[in-house]
């Protein structure tokens, strides 16, 4: 949520910052801006709209500056116009800041500063940081101290970069609850909220910790806490390659990521699934192995698509390991005083590893003495670092705002986790081997569905004028219905509801008429006949049925208006296959409607505010 980037080095900075913003635009695209230090003064250009709008205004020939900061915004406080765009200046224009996060006590601080005669230009919470740093600087005459004192006054979260003409040789970076990565190049440093803005320049990075700041100059950097205690840095290597954050010939990142799923699903279990033993090795859980063996209850907490994979995980873990599992929206978890006990395991699932609500749930878990475990994609992210143990899903960068490959990779990890927990308990080796053998088949089965994408595209085109969709599924496929509806809503702006198929008759059935497409996951399993009855109920009200069915099921053609076949697999693994056509229907519908698939309105990839 909001992308920020800064550079100190020997290259001209304006072009470099714009390119950095383009890499992070999926984090927010309401407005964009840059500040550079030119001839001893801060020069700022900012504009509502996407980075491309800003780029048109930046004449790179005007600047030979080699130090600057930039921002792409996802608006929280203040509408997305030019004035509210970052960077924000102090009232004397000598300090410029870019900020990701929320300053919760900004109103009180602003009032106090206004009473002292300081002026403000925007409606944002962020601007108070710039003005407060100015006010403190006037007393202490040291930028680092001024930033530190200011940060000790604010409540809330920040990923912050500060540039000042008072001390033109440095950028000060700081974080609390918002990610910040410092890339270490040869005589240059690039600092950003996301490693994707850094990888073009260097693979060597330092992830700042919460409440840590970095003073970055051309000839070196220093880190300390915002309480002024020295900290040690740990240089790490970025794990992905540049090609992972490029479209590789696909029209959109979302489509590329959908098509990556045979590989990403496999990458999530590769080296972990011991198929010949019917077992699983999870190095990231070694230190909590005994706690997992003793666990009487698991709570899985997440948001959005990750919450849907959590629901699939609940069913699989309860089935294979016979441990009671509860799934909680992370946003509810921390505010409803959830009873937690020391032998509870809390699994936080997050693609970004930065979702504020999920991170807050991890803190709450620690506070109450239970054991937090992460299932995360982004290496080094806050949730990965704050949890006691974890499993990376290794899906590679997911750039499309609508999550696709992360969902199937999360299920891949949850399935092997369930197997691991099951084999610690009563699951037999032969059952373990049978499930493992089927997991190995899934990548190829995903590929077979993707090969039929033209058929799904034609269907999506035909249905694109529909203003509502209903998605139904039962058992393992109920969360798939939720996920299919979420995908449709977020990228095509068509209203869609996901529902347990059998619950439909308790209300949503009233919505069904000849204009309502109803997507029903009706794969062959023990509740197949019941789902057929649900289809009949839809048909009786003239609803148009699009069935996701198992290959070879000819019978379903008698009931559905359109059938999309997926290969047969174990019921617990059907969500991974059934979701692929739903991702494609949403994608092709959005394309047909001319929607911006990778950057849907009002959304951002990583939601780092509550
Ligand atoms: O990074 P996370 O997995 O924690 O993100 C959770 C949700 O914000 C995310 O899944 C969101 O719902 C996506 N836009 C879904 O496509």
């Amino acid at each position: 949520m909001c992308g920020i980037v800064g550079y100190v080095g020997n290259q001209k900075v304006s072009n470099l910052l714009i390119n950095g913003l383009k890499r992070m635009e999926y984090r927010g695209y309401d407005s964009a801006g840059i500040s550079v230090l030119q001839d001893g003064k801060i020069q700022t250009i900012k504009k509502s709209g996407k980075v491309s709008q800003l780029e048109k205004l930046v004449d790179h020939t005007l600047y030979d500056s080699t130090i600057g900061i930039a921002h792409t915004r996802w608006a929280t406080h203040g509408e997305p116009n030019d004035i509210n765009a970052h960077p924000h200046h102090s009232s004397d224009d000598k300090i410029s800041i870019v900020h990701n996060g929320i300053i919760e006590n900004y109103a009180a601080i602003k009032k106090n500063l206004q009473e002292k005669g300081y002026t403000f230009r925007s409606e944002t919470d962020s601007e108070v940081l710039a003005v407060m740093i100015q006010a403190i600087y006037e007393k202490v005459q040291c930028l680092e101290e001024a930033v530190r004192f200011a940060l000790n006054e604010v409540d809330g979260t920040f990923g912050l970069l500060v540039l000042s003409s008072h001390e033109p040789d440095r950028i000060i970076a700081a974080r609390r609850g918002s990610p910040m990565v410092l890339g270490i190049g040869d005589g240059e440093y690039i600092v950003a909220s996301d490693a994707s803005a850094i990888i073009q320049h260097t693979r060597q990075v330092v992830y700042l910790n919460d409440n840590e700041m970095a003073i970055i100059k051309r000839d070196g950097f220093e880190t300390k806490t915002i309480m002024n205690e020295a900290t040690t840095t740990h240089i790490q290597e970025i794990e992905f390659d540049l090609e992972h954050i490029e479209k590789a010939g696909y029209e959109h990142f979302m489509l590329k990521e959908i098509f990556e799923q045979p590989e990403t699903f496999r990458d999530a279990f590769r080296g972990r699934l011991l198929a010949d033993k019917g077992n699983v090795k999870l190095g990231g859980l070694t230190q909590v192995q005994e706690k997992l063996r003793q666990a009487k209850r698991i709570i899985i907490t997440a948001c959005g698509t990750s919450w849907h994979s959590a629901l699939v995980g609940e069913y699989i873990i309860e089935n294979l390991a016979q441990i009671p599992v509860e799934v909680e929206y992370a946003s509810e978890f921390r505010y409803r005083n959830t009873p937690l006990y020391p032998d509870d395991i809390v699994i936080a699932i997050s693609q970004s590893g930065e979702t504020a609500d999920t991170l807050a749930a991890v803190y709450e878990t620690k506070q109450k003495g239970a054991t937090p475990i992460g299932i995360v994609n982004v290496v080094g992210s806050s949730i990965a670092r704050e949890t006691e143990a974890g499993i990376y899903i290794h899906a590679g960068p997911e750039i499309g705002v609508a999550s696709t490959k992360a969902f199937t990779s999360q299920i891949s990890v949850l399935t092997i986790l369930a197997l691991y927990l099951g084999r610690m308990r009563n699951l037999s080796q032969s059952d373990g081997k049978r499930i493992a053998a089927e997991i190995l088949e899934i990548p190829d089965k995903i590929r077979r569905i993707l090969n039929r994408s033209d058929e799904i595209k034609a269907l999506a085109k035909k249905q694109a004028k529909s203003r509502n969709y209903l998605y139904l599924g039962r058992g393992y496929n109920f969360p798939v219905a939720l996920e299919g509806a979420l995908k449709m809503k977020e990228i095509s702006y068509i209203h869609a509801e996901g529902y347990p198929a059998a619950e439909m008759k308790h209300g949503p059935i009233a919505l069904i008429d000849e204009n309502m497409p109803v997507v029903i996951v009706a794969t062959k399993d023990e509740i197949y006949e019941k789902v057929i009855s649900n289809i009949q109920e839809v048909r009786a009200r003239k609803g148009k049925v699009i069935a996701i069915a198992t290959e070879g099921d000819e019978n379903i053609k008698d009931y559905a208006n359109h059938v999309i076949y997926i290969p047969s697999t174990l019921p617990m693994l059907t969500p991974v296959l059934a979701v692929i056509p739903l991702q494609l229907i949403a994608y092709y519908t959005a394309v047909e409607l001319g929607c911006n698939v990778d950057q849907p309105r009002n959304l951002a990839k990583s939601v780092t505010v509550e």
Side-chain angles (χ1 to χ4, degrees), residues 303-306 349-353 355 358 401-403 410 483 486-487 490 603-605 607:
C303 302
T305 289
S306 298
I349 305 182
S350 174
Q351 187 286 127
S352 62
T355 299
T358 314
V401 167
S403 184
Q410 286 162 352
E483 177 61 7
L486 177 62
K487 289 289 89 84
E490 62 182 342
L603 296 177
K605 184 66 186 162
V607 184

Side-chain angles (χ1 to χ4, degrees), residues 404-476:
T404 52
K405 63 177 180 175
F407 178 72
T408 46
S409 295
Q410 286 162 352
I411 297 177
S412 183
V413 161
L414 285 161
T415 309
I416 58 171
L417 174 64
L419 198 51
Y420 172 85
L421 295 170
R423 294 289 288 118
M424 280 180 167
R425 292 171 169 77
N426 292 327
L427 191 74
S428 69
Q429 188 184 47
S430 63
D431 278 345
K433 281 185 179 176
R434 183 176 54 83
I435 294 161
E438 192 50 38
I439 293 172
L440 293 177
E441 298 290 317
I442 293 293
D444 197 48
K445 292 182 176 178
I446 297 175
R447 208 167 282 118
R448 277 161 54 191
I449 304 170
L450 293 172
N451 287 343
R452 294 206 287 269
S453 63
D454 280 349
E455 174 201 329
I456 298 168
K457 183 179 184 174
L459 172 71
K461 256 181 132 145
K462 204 166 119 201
Q463 299 291 343
K465 295 276 177 296
S466 308
R467 293 320 304 149
N468 297 288
Y469 260 88
L470 190 58
Y471 287 76
L472 303 174
R474 293 184 78 150
Y476 291 108

